[in-house]
């Protein structure tokens, strides 16, 4: 059966389940088919290149999130399985080129967002080091295997890339002393570069946390220990341990992943939390290890709001306290207006809410009616375009950023499926 036939059958089945909300189903159909129709390119080397939307490059993070909802189709269709496996293979091919880069070209064209380094690798679109960029490919590889049994993503590049990832994580636990990574972008916005000649704000080494230069928004971290990304690392290191034992039979890498996972988890639960008068003990968004904390959340995933979605083994009381903080005006990037209330980002203008954050709010609640309310609100804030955007003004959804943003479309699709009871085995 072709991808189109499998897609048509799936959509027809969903229509039968959603007769009471055809407008939500119509938006789902647009969002769900958009990524496959517009962003996916099959390469001659049996890999899959996925652009982020209106930018012609592949982000390791975005591309994994964009194809994740198609794992449901992959259960029924081998071609879809290979499409996703091909993305994993390409992601690890890219990681083997440069483990510190976040976005790549489809060829060694030299195209880039900015020529930050005169010797920049021509495959690299941008070289912002973000911990989550190395987590997403492992997550996608694991979820594809766990839910469909597919193993073609586990090739030599996967193993080489995994060793690079573990090495980077270990190095960046001691960023001050051991890391040679630097990032300087000249004549730009301050969130687009790192202080101290590209080294970033000072952090305390040896805490067990992994340093990240940038957030998943591609904005520079205020404090170098980004807690949501470390939470994500805990989860994927657990996935990696299982992959190495079951697929490769490599006890050495499995034990290394397990030990690092436990180290990072202990560090988060020890120094990644702080006490607040209003909410009690909460998880911080960032810390420097010296006692400075940044209490906020950003719409991009990984976020604190997404910790349960990511599978982080949190302290449930602290998680609940943190959620209350994040969905209140104590979070400086929580906005309320005539059109919606939700989390935005310093990456976009003040009072702009992100559809991604709205989807995460829905995916992390156990209340089915809240999921439905959020889906309705997302559908009502497309600015008349019938697709999801990056951020939109909470007072006027016709004011938005990024007309074409595939990750946001994927997140609406994922929440819609979750509302209907579709979940992935983890």
């Amino acid at each position: 059966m072709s991808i189109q036939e499998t897609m048509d059958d799936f959509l027809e089945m969903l229509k039968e389940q959603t007769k009471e909300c055809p407008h939500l189903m119509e938006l789902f159909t647009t969002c769900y088919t958009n990524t496959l129709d517009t962003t996916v390119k099959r390469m001659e080397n049996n890999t899959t290149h996925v652009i982020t939307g209106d930018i012609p490059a592949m982000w390791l993070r975005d591309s994994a999130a964009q194809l994740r909802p198609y794992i449901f189709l992959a259960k029924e269709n081998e071609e879809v399985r290979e499409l996703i496996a091909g993305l994993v293979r390409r992601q690890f091919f890219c990681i083997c080129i440069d483990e510190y880069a976040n976005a790549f070209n489809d060829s060694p064209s030299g195209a880039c967002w900015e020529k930050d380094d005169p010797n920049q690798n021509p495959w690299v679109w941008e070289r912002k080091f973000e911990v989550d960029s190395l987590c997403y490919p492992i997550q996608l590889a694991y979820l594809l295997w766990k839910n469909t049994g597919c193993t073609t993503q586990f090739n030599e590049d996967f193993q080489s890339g995994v060793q690079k990832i573990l090495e980077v994580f270990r190095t960046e636990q001691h960023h001050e002393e051991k890391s040679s990574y630097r990032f300087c972008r000249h004549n730009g916005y301050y969130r687009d570069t790192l202080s101290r000649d590209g080294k970033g704000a000072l952090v305390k080494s040896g805490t067990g946390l992994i340093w990240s230069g940038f957030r998943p928004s591609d904005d520079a971290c205020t404090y170098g220990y980004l807690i949501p990304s470390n939470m994500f690392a805990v989860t994927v290191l657990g996935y990696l341990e299982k992959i190495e034992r079951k697929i490769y039979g490599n006890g050495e890498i499995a034990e290394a992943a397990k030990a690092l996972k436990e180290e990072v988890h202990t560090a988060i639960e020890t120094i990644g939390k702080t006490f607040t008068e209003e909410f009690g003990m909460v998880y911080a968004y960032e810390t420097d290890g010296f006692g400075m904390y940044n209490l906020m959340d950003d719409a991009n995933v990984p976020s604190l709001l997404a910790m349960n979605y990511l599978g982080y083994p949190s302290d449930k009381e602290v998680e609940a306290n943190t959620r209350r903080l994040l969905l209140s005006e104590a979070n400086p990037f929580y906005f309320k207006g005539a059109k919606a209330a939700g989390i935005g980002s310093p990456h976009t203008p003040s009072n702009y809410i992100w559809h991604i954050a709205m989807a995460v709010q829905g995916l992390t609640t156990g209340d089915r009616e809240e999921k439905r309310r959020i889906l309705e609100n997302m559908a009502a804030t497309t600015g008349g375009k019938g697709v999801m955007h990056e951020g939109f003004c909470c007072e006027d959804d016709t004011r938005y950023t990024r007309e074409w943003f595939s990750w946001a479309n994927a997140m609406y699709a994922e929440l819609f499926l979750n509302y209907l009871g579709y979940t992935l085995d983890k």
Side-chain angles (χ1 to χ4, degrees), residues 321-359:
N321 293 345
T322 306
R323 186 180 182 88
R324 286 191 299 116
L325 183 155
L326 302 178
L327 297 176
S328 78
E329 291 176 358
N331 172 10
F333 300 101
Y334 180 80
F335 304 116
K336 273 185 179 180
K339 289 291 186 177
I343 296 174
S345 171
H347 193 69
T348 47
S350 182
N351 292 315
Y352 274 53
I353 296 167
W354 283 45
H355 282 129
I356 287 174
M358 294 174 74

Side-chain angles (χ1 to χ4, degrees), residues 202-415:
L202 181 68
V203 292
K204 182 179 180 180
S205 286
T207 62
L209 295 172
I210 304 165
W211 177 87
S212 189
F214 294 86
R215 302 168 179 171
S217 61
D218 300 332
D219 290 343
C221 292
T222 300
Y223 303 123
Y225 293 134
L226 182 59
I227 299 302
S229 289
N230 276 266
M231 289 174 165
F232 197 12
V234 169
T235 299
V236 300
L237 288 166
Y239 292 163
L240 181 57
E241 181 189 356
K242 293 175 185 177
I243 291 167
E244 291 300 330
R245 292 195 195 281
K246 298 286 187 179
I247 301 296
Y248 291 100
N250 192 317
E252 184 179 351
I253 296 180
E255 284 300 316
K258 179 183 178 182
L260 184 54
K261 174 190 72 175
E262 292 172 352
E263 246 179 72
V264 177
H265 183 249
T266 298
I268 292 170
E269 295 302 315
T270 304
I271 65 170
K273 301 185 290 192
T274 189
F275 183 78
T276 66
E277 288 292 337
E278 185 175 357
F279 300 98
M281 190 66 74
V282 298
Y283 289 105
Y285 186 69
E286 294 168 339
T287 183
D288 61 359
F290 292 112
M292 296 296 289
Y293 293 97
N294 190 3
L295 298 185
M296 57 164 280
D297 207 18
D298 192 292
N300 294 268
V301 182
S303 61
L304 288 176
L305 189 65
M307 70 177 85
N308 176 264
Y309 167 72
L310 296 171
Y312 176 71
S314 65
D315 179 313
K316 293 307 176 186
E317 182 179 351
V318 178
E319 180 183 345
N321 293 345
T322 306
R323 186 180 182 88
R324 286 191 299 116
L325 183 155
L326 302 178
L327 297 176
S328 78
E329 291 176 358
N331 172 10
F333 300 101
Y334 180 80
F335 304 116
K336 273 185 179 180
K339 289 291 186 177
I343 296 174
S345 171
H347 193 69
T348 47
S350 182
N351 292 315
Y352 274 53
I353 296 167
W354 283 45
H355 282 129
I356 287 174
M358 294 174 74
V360 169
Q361 184 178 344
L363 287 163
T364 53
T365 179
D367 184 341
R368 192 165 187 267
E369 286 308 307
E370 186 181 359
K371 294 178 191 290
R372 173 65 179 266
R373 180 187 63 76
I374 292 170
L375 283 168
E376 294 282 1
N377 202 187
M378 292 176 76
T381 52
T382 69
K385 298 297 182 180
V387 291
M388 298 294 107
H389 301 298
E390 181 185 53
F392 66 92
C393 178
C394 64
E395 301 289 354
D396 177 6
D397 62 299
T398 63
R399 294 160 54 196
Y400 56 80
T401 60
R402 299 191 70 174
E403 185 156 336
W404 178 24
F405 191 33
S406 180
W407 184 11
N409 285 335
M411 293 302 292
Y412 173 84
E414 194 167 341
L415 176 57

